[in-house]
Amino acid sequence: MRSARLKGHLDALVLAVLADQPAHGYAILTALKLRTGNSVDLEGGTLYPTLHRLEAAGLISSDWSASGGRRRRVYTIEDKGRRVLADERSLWQEFVQALQPLLGPPLDGGATR
């Protein structure tokens, strides 16, 4: 899925990944890809500005970590980020419920009017 289609949802997707556990950028990209059945396959150039924006907003924080001789920035969701994620999940459910009658499977077995 192209990043343009994710516009407006990428912040929530990243927060959802970080809600499970802290992660570095590559791990976030991998989790997004795996958890969406390869539908969301982003480049770092799309993810890192999002991470910087979320951190500037106080939704996530970051720290340097050393692993195998490599330094990586590890991102952690903050309480404010968890609240925003809960709100985003509610809005997403409302959105899906509102559009389901229009875009979901036909309720009458496929007949058109």
Side-chain angles (χ1 to χ4, degrees):
M1 185 175 300
R2 293 186 176 158
S3 60
R5 283 198 158 177
L6 297 174
K7 189 172 181 144
H9 303 289
L10 187 53
D11 290 5
L13 295 174
V14 170
L15 291 172
V17 168
L18 293 176
D20 292 338
Q21 65 184 20
H24 55 81
Y26 183 76
I28 295 168
L29 290 172
T30 301
L32 287 169
K33 188 174 180 179
L34 291 175
R35 290 171 61 179
T36 63
N38 295 325
S39 293
V40 175
D41 187 10
L42 301 176
E43 299 292 324
T46 300
L47 176 65
Y48 290 103
T50 300
L51 291 169
H52 296 302
R53 187 177 57 256
L54 293 173
E55 189 168 21
L59 304 180
I60 65 173
S61 61
S62 67
D63 246 331
W64 286 102
S65 172
S67 176
R70 292 184 61 187
R71 286 182 40 152
R72 295 180 174 174
R73 187 171 288 274
V74 175
Y75 298 90
T76 303
I77 192 168
E78 296 294 329
D79 290 339
K80 182 178 178 183
R82 289 186 190 281
R83 290 190 298 273
V84 167
L85 177 58
D87 289 345
E88 288 295 324
R89 283 181 166 152
S90 289
L91 290 171
W92 177 254
Q93 289 302 318
E94 290 174 17
F95 180 76
V96 169
Q97 288 174 356
L99 296 184
Q100 186 65 31
L102 294 170
L103 299 176
L107 298 177
D108 57 5
T112 59
R113 296 176 196 243

